[in-house]
Amino acid sequence: VTGKGVQGLVEGRRVSLGNLAMMQDVGAEIDSVGKAAEELRVEGQTVMFVAIDGEIAGLLGVADPIKESTPEAISA
């Protein structure tokens, strides 16, 4: 789903992985994982929520830390 995430069927269950807008679209309340999501964001991670059949199942935090070689790569 453009700008929101992805959805699919796994063994007959609707699995959604995406941002808050995606969770709102599928009716998943994120209150139970909201604090964890904010902690990951404070660390600079991008948060993606996981819902199964419209119920929040968890979240993922991803980060791409700056490497020591980054300044050189940018200069090149």
Side-chain angles (χ1 to χ4, degrees), residues 21-67:
M22 170 71 84
M23 296 302 105
Q24 291 170 337
D25 286 354
V26 301
E29 296 290 332
I30 65 155
D31 295 342
S32 63
V33 296
K35 183 178 179 183
E38 186 56 30
E39 289 172 359
L40 293 173
R41 286 188 193 107
V42 167
E43 294 175 4
Q45 296 188 41
T46 298
V47 175
M48 295 175 284
F49 300 96
V50 181
I52 300 173
D53 294 332
E55 296 290 326
I56 196 73
L59 55 83
L60 300 169
V62 294
D64 189 11
I66 297 174
K67 299 177 181 79

Side-chain angles (χ1 to χ4, degrees), residues 2-23:
T2 304
K4 295 181 182 180
V6 296
Q7 292 183 318
L9 288 175
V10 178
E11 296 182 2
R13 300 182 77 184
R14 183 180 55 162
V15 178
S16 306
L17 170 69
N19 60 20
L20 180 58
M22 170 71 84
M23 296 302 105

